[in-house]
Amino acid sequence: MTRQILSTLLLSATLLLAGCAGQTPSPAAEPESSADSSAAAAETTAPAYITADDSFTNLQLDTPAMPVYDSYTITERRAKNLPTQLPQLTPYKDGKVAYLTFDDGPDNKNTPAILDILKENDVPATFYVTGAHAELHPDVLKRIFAEHHAIGNHSYDHDYRKLYPAIDGFLGEMQKTDDIIKNIIGVRPLILRAPGGVIGNFTSAYPPALAASGYVEHDWNVSSADAAPGHPTAQDFIGNIDSQTDNKDFAIILMHSSEGHEETVKALPEIIRILKAKGFSFGVITPMTPQPW
């Protein structure tokens, strides 16, 4: 009996050793090279936007695709005796660039849908937001910011009676909206768009007052006409943008992302396709973006 037990144990040990010998050990993972590590770290830490330094000395960029913000509001800059007026900046213009801009948002339907389309097409854009809508939809504003689009100031509630013709009222509305935006995303925009545009609304007092407060205003040179009366359709917007960009290599395109602009959402994929087919790249509005006129 003892001999039989010993034989059984010996056979089991032999089989176990054979099984272990038959296994091929997994090769050790090759250590990541320092170059790979550096590239990964750079990708992780690459800035998604530029924050102005105290004296605005770091704003002369060579790319149209990097949003620019300030870590201070105008009130905070004045309290700290920091400059509020931007230095002379050379407009950036290189190649054929389209700037998709969306006014009057954010809302909780059309703006997210537009963001989805932009993400699918790897296209940046600029959103000129009102303070009132930012207060209502802070999570959408945070998403715009997190997805590396530019945010601009479009007044608190688009009320012309508060904005025109008194510059003090205009600045008050902009600074109120600055505070709201900064409370939500931690920085405030340096760019703004005057509701209704500059023509017919600004007096001679507006440009120097805006410059003294560090604001840069941009209108547009291509309009989708998606806010026109008569309930225009997506195909109308596509045709408008297609025809107006035929002979341009620089296009600031006006659209809207607020409630009631579902047709803009429908039109956007085809608008992007047409612009890409014409050889446009895409940028975001910054203080260095050339003026449209």
Side-chain angles (χ1 to χ4, degrees), residues 2 10 35 39 50 57 62 72 83 103-104 142 154-155 169 174 182 201 222 244 273 292:
T2 302
L10 182 60
I50 296 296
T57 59
D62 60 357
Y72 302 109
D103 288 8
D104 296 354
K142 289 177 182 177
H154 198 48
S155 82
M174 295 299 163
K182 185 171 183 287
N201 289 318
V222 174
Q244 292 175 45
R273 188 198 68 77

Side-chain angles (χ1 to χ4, degrees), residues 188-209:
R188 65 114 183 172
L190 294 169
I191 58 170
L192 65 80
R193 174 169 285 162
V198 167
I199 297 173
N201 289 318
F202 274 19
T203 67
S204 60
Y206 279 68

Side-chain angles (χ1 to χ4, degrees), residues 13-26:
T14 302
L15 291 172
L16 179 61
L17 288 171
C20 291
Q23 292 178 352
T24 303
S26 300

Side-chain angles (χ1 to χ4, degrees), residues 6-280:
L6 289 172
S7 298
T8 302
L9 290 173
L10 182 60
L11 178 60
S12 299
T14 302
L15 291 172
L16 179 61
L17 288 171
C20 291
Q23 292 178 352
T24 303
S26 300
E30 293 184 6
E32 186 177 30
S33 71
S34 59
D36 291 341
S37 299
S38 299
E43 184 175 344
T44 302
T45 59
Y49 59 91
I50 296 296
T51 303
D53 61 25
D54 287 2
S55 299
F56 298 124
T57 59
N58 63 330
L59 297 186
Q60 193 62 63
L61 308 179
D62 60 357
T63 172
M66 184 79 73
V68 176
Y69 298 100
D70 191 6
S71 57
Y72 302 109
T73 64
I74 295 297
T75 302
E76 290 168 341
R77 281 190 167 273
R78 287 175 178 153
K80 293 176 178 289
N81 291 317
L82 295 174
T84 58
Q85 185 160 349
L86 300 183
Q88 186 69 37
L89 298 170
T90 302
Y92 174 86
K93 192 170 184 181
D94 184 21
K96 194 171 182 177
V97 184
Y99 298 84
L100 303 179
T101 69
F102 298 92
D103 288 8
D104 296 354
D107 74 342
N108 61 356
K109 178 184 177 183
N110 291 326
T111 306
I114 287 168
L115 288 169
D116 289 343
I117 294 167
L118 295 172
K119 189 172 185 178
E120 289 167 7
N121 289 275
D122 193 25
V123 168
T126 302
F127 291 81
Y128 287 101
V129 304
T130 66
H133 284 153
E135 285 179 319
L136 287 173
H137 307 292
D139 289 343
V140 181
L141 188 71
K142 289 177 182 177
R143 181 182 169 189
I144 295 170
F145 182 68
E147 294 184 3
H148 309 163
H149 302 291
I151 294 169
N153 191 326
H154 198 48
S155 82
Y156 179 72
D157 58 5
H158 216 279
D159 187 340
Y160 284 24
R161 295 168 300 177
K162 301 175 186 175
L163 298 166
Y164 312 117
I167 182 60
D168 289 344
F170 187 95
L171 289 175
E173 289 288 290
M174 295 299 163
Q175 290 173 18
K176 179 179 180 180
T177 301
D178 276 350
D179 291 342
I180 292 166
I181 292 172
K182 185 171 183 287
N183 284 338
I184 295 170
I185 63 172
V187 289
R188 65 114 183 172
L190 294 169
I191 58 170
L192 65 80
R193 174 169 285 162
V198 167
I199 297 173
N201 289 318
F202 274 19
T203 67
S204 60
Y206 279 68
L210 293 183
S213 294
Y215 290 121
V216 181
E217 201 278 343
H218 286 87
D219 278 1
W220 56 90
N221 61 353
V222 174
S223 176
S224 65
D226 64 349
H231 305 289
T233 66
Q235 197 57 48
D236 295 324
F237 311 153
I238 292 166
N240 290 337
I241 291 173
D242 188 11
S243 63
Q244 292 175 45
T245 54
D246 268 345
N247 298 309
K248 287 185 173 67
D249 60 6
F250 168 73
I252 298 181
I253 300 169
L254 172 65
M255 292 178 278
H256 295 79
S257 67
S258 53
E259 182 179 353
H261 289 284
E262 290 77 13
E263 290 295 308
T264 302
V265 177
K266 292 179 186 176
L268 186 56
E270 180 64 8
I271 290 168
I272 292 172
R273 188 198 68 77
I274 287 171
L275 293 171
K276 285 184 175 180
K278 291 183 177 184
F280 281 99

